[in-house]
């Protein structure tokens, strides 16, 4: 298994080398050069795109050079902060942990950066399917009705399967969080599952929310603020709103761009 992973990593590094020298190489070219199927190349390119190494276009991809934090557009800066939040959340996972992860794209992103051993992930996020993760992750899907476009697994089937699971930690995203309304979402079908994850985590609850979600109140309340132990957000979050959350007992973890 370890040997196979090394072969895959070497092939992906080779793809990056080829694209740096000849950006216009397409899937068919790469398939012939590396002597693997087009399906394998597409899977490699998807992995590299998920890790911000390449940008895909029809038929191929190009290498993405690391962006400097200064001079970013608002959308690029927000993406950077969300990535930093995901990386920080991953650093809180320890060897042997069991964790809940909800349908949040940012909570799912953190799994890309978990490097620990023997970590059990229980999730209703269908986005885990078809992605490559470190061998130390053991991933269990809740089952349930698939709701698009998020590939969220919801409904009574998912709830029943999660009710008897009590992991150490929960990592959940949200549509909004405030001291008054607590944790909120726009998707009513996810309310009970999110609440269950917060309720059943035995050690710690971490909410992942960038600055655009701080102080925002969405349609449906998942849990009052007393159920939230930790908030991972970024340096652009309004200080007065963070102070309100601190007064409500939430521990704030701030991520910052590198100078």
């Amino acid at each position: 298994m370890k040997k196979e992973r090394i072969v895959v990593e070497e092939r992906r590094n080779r793809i990056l080398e080829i694209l740096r020298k000849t950006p216009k190489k397409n899937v068919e070219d790469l398939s012939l050069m590396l002597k693997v199927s087009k399906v394998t190349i597409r899977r490699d390119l998807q992995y590299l795109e998920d890790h911000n190494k390449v940008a895909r276009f029809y038929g191929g991809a190009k290498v993405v050079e690391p962006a400097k934090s200064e001079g970013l557009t608002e959308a690029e800066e927000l993406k950077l902060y969300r990535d930093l939040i995901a990386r920080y959340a991953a650093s809180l996972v320890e060897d042997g942990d069991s964790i809940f992860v909800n349908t949040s794209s940012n909570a799912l992103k953190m799994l890309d950066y978990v490097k620990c051993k023997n970590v059990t992930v229980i999730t209703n996020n269908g986005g885990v399917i078809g992605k490559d993760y470190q061998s130390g992750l053991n991933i269990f899907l809740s089952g349930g009705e698939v709701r698009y476009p998020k590939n969220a697994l919801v409904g009574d089937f998912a709830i029943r399967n999660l009710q008897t699971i009590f992991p150490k930690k929960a990592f959940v995203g949200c549509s909004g969080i405030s001291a008054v309304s607590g944790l909120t979402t726009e998707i009513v079908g996810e309310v009970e599952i999110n609440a269950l994850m917060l309720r059943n985590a035995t050690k710690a609850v971490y909410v992942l929310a960038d600055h655009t979600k701080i102080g925002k109140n969405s349609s449906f309340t998942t849990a009052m603020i007393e159920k939230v132990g930790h908030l991972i957000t970024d340096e652009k979050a309004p200080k007065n709103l963070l102070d309100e959350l601190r007064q409500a007992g939430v521990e704030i973890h701030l991520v910052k761009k590198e100078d």
Side-chain angles (χ1 to χ4, degrees):
M1 187 70 180
K2 184 177 180 181
K3 184 177 179 181
E4 291 177 1
R5 183 168 293 279
I6 291 173
V7 170
V8 171
E9 290 176 354
E10 289 178 346
R11 185 178 65 243
R12 289 169 177 170
N13 288 333
R14 178 64 179 143
I15 289 173
L16 290 173
E17 290 176 7
I18 293 170
L19 292 178
R20 286 191 182 99
K21 294 176 181 177
T22 316
K24 293 186 179 180
K25 292 290 184 186
N26 58 30
V27 170
E28 186 172 358
D29 294 332
L30 293 169
S31 173
L32 291 172
M33 293 176 72
L34 298 174
K35 296 181 174 58
V36 294
S37 70
K38 294 178 186 178
V39 172
T40 297
I41 294 296
R42 291 191 183 98
R43 188 182 299 121
D44 287 340
L45 291 176
Q46 182 62 57
Y47 174 89
L48 292 170
E49 183 177 53
D50 289 342
H51 287 74
N52 300 316
K53 300 291 186 181
V54 303
R56 297 181 70 186
F57 55 81
Y58 183 76
K62 63 179 181 179
V63 174
V64 175
E65 298 301 333
K68 296 179 180 178
S69 60
E70 51 188 47
L72 297 179
T73 65
E74 186 174 340
E76 289 171 336
E77 184 181 59
L78 184 57
K79 183 179 179 181
L80 173 61
Y81 278 131
R82 287 175 176 171
D83 188 67
L84 291 172
I85 288 170
R87 288 176 183 271
Y88 184 89
S91 74
L92 299 170
V93 179
E94 302 171 290
D95 289 347
D97 265 351
S98 53
I99 64 174
F100 272 142
V101 171
N102 76 342
T103 60
S104 158
S105 59
N106 220 32
L108 180 64
K109 181 72 175 173
M110 68 171 278
L111 297 182
D112 292 337
Y113 304 117
V114 174
K115 308 298 183 185
C116 300
K117 299 176 183 177
N118 194 30
V119 175
T120 300
V121 180
I122 305 99
T123 183
N124 67 325
N125 195 324
V128 299
I129 298 174
K131 296 191 70 176
D132 291 328
Y133 294 113
Q134 295 292 322
S135 58
L137 291 184
N138 306 301
I139 299 178
F140 294 84
L141 276 169
S142 66
E145 179 186 356
V146 181
R147 291 285 179 88
Y148 298 98
K150 292 175 64 178
N151 290 325
L153 301 175
V154 298
D156 290 342
F157 190 88
I159 292 170
R160 284 198 300 271
N161 286 339
L162 293 173
Q163 279 177 337
T164 57
I165 301 174
F166 298 86
K168 295 178 182 177
K169 301 168 185 175
F171 293 88
V172 300
C174 62
S175 298
I177 181 172
S178 74
V180 176
S181 299
L183 203 64
T184 55
T185 179
E186 287 295 334
I187 313 298
V188 66
E190 296 180 23
V191 169
E192 180 55 31
I193 290 178
N194 289 342
L196 189 156
M197 288 183 173
L198 269 63
R199 187 167 60 246
N200 282 16
T202 60
K203 185 175 179 181
V205 170
Y206 297 94
V207 173
L208 288 64
D210 63 73
H211 63 271
T212 66
K213 299 177 181 179
I214 308 304
K216 180 180 177 182
N217 299 322
S218 294
S219 302
F220 305 99
T221 297
T222 292
M224 299 310 293
I225 202 63
E226 291 79 12
K227 296 292 183 181
V228 178
H230 304 262
L231 169 65
I232 308 171
T233 188
D234 61 77
E235 61 189 334
K236 290 191 72 174
K239 185 179 182 303
N240 63 314
L241 298 180
L242 293 183
D243 286 341
E244 291 178 3
L245 290 168
R246 287 191 183 95
Q247 291 172 10
V250 180
E251 183 175 343
I252 308 296
H253 305 255
L254 275 183
V255 300
K256 300 180 180 181
K257 292 186 295 186
E258 294 182 3
D259 295 331

